[in-house]
């Protein structure tokens, strides 16, 4: 009998990578004092929002990967750029809700470039996994 394969094995690896990158970047940025999470799960243990890095970020990555799966390279870049441009809006919303705060000198353009680079790396890894694992 042939082995049953995980139907989303490529996405799973990309989601784990996204979670790892997000966790390490959050630890670095919070440690340097660029931003903080006033409301987060287990605040006495974690200085970052592990709910975001372990649940929201991987699920967001899965949605983006599934959305751009059948697009051309230009379409993929367009979607990644659109998502990156939307992230400062979500940041502002989380700031208004009290879930997230930045230092005074933070520029939201950092978020645009950061998410663009982040999603580009995760997409490159995802496509490498799809081509390499058969």
């Amino acid at each position: 009998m042939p082995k049953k394969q995980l139907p989303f094995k490529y996405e799973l690896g990309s989601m784990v990578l996204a979670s790892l990158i997000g966790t390490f970047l959050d630890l670095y940025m919070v440690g340097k004092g660029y931003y903080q999470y006033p409301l987060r799960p287990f605040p006495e243990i974690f200085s970052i929002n592990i709910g975001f890095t372990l649940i929201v970020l991987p699920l967001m990555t899965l949605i983006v990967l599934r959305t751009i799966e059948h697009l051309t390279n230009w379409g993929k870049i367009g979607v990644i750029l659109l998502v990156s441009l939307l992230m400062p809006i979500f940041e502002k919303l989380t700031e208004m809700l009290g879930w997230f705060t930045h230092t005074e000198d933070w520029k939201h353009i950092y978020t645009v470039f950061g998410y663009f680079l982040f999603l580009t790396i995760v997409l490159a890894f995802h496509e490498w996994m799809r081509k390499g694992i058969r």
Side-chain angles (χ1 to χ4, degrees), residues 8-71:
F8 60 95
K9 65 183 176 185
Y10 310 119
E11 287 93 352
L12 185 61
S14 301
M15 291 166 63
V16 169
L17 177 67
S19 183
L20 287 171
I21 291 172
T23 300
F24 287 124
L25 283 174
D26 269 1
L27 285 169
Y28 177 79
M29 298 297 250
V30 168
K32 289 290 188 178
Y34 293 119
Y35 56 76
Q36 61 181 320
Y37 297 95
L39 296 175
R40 61 187 184 274
F42 309 110
E44 60 280 348
I45 300 171
F46 299 107
S47 60
I48 63 171
N49 186 338
I50 61 166
F52 176 74
T53 60
L54 297 179
I55 298 169
V56 175
L57 196 57
L59 288 177
M60 181 191 82
T61 300
L62 177 65
I63 291 168
V64 170
L65 290 174
R66 289 279 172 103
T67 301
I68 66 177
E69 188 173 20
H70 299 292
L71 297 178

Side-chain angles (χ1 to χ4, degrees), residues 2-129:
K3 285 197 289 185
K4 281 200 128 192
Q5 298 210 352
L6 203 57
F8 60 95
K9 65 183 176 185
Y10 310 119
E11 287 93 352
L12 185 61
S14 301
M15 291 166 63
V16 169
L17 177 67
S19 183
L20 287 171
I21 291 172
T23 300
F24 287 124
L25 283 174
D26 269 1
L27 285 169
Y28 177 79
M29 298 297 250
V30 168
K32 289 290 188 178
Y34 293 119
Y35 56 76
Q36 61 181 320
Y37 297 95
L39 296 175
R40 61 187 184 274
F42 309 110
E44 60 280 348
I45 300 171
F46 299 107
S47 60
I48 63 171
N49 186 338
I50 61 166
F52 176 74
T53 60
L54 297 179
I55 298 169
V56 175
L57 196 57
L59 288 177
M60 181 191 82
T61 300
L62 177 65
I63 291 168
V64 170
L65 290 174
R66 289 279 172 103
T67 301
I68 66 177
E69 188 173 20
H70 299 292
L71 297 178
T72 65
N73 286 339
W74 285 109
K76 291 174 184 179
I77 292 169
V79 170
I80 288 174
L81 183 59
L82 176 65
V83 170
S84 300
L85 290 170
L86 290 174
M87 290 314 291
I89 295 168
F90 292 122
E91 268 187 358
K92 283 292 209 182
L93 177 63
T94 58
E95 287 174 1
M96 289 179 359
L97 294 171
W99 299 346
F100 192 67
T101 59
H102 283 106
T103 60
E104 291 294 322
D105 56 341
W106 181 263
K107 308 257 186 299
H108 288 285
I109 194 72
Y110 302 157
T111 302
V112 174
F113 287 122
Y115 272 98
F116 188 82
L117 182 61
F118 167 77
L119 289 170
T120 301
I121 290 168
V122 171
L123 175 63
F125 176 80
H126 176 70
E127 291 185 350
W128 174 76
M129 291 269 296

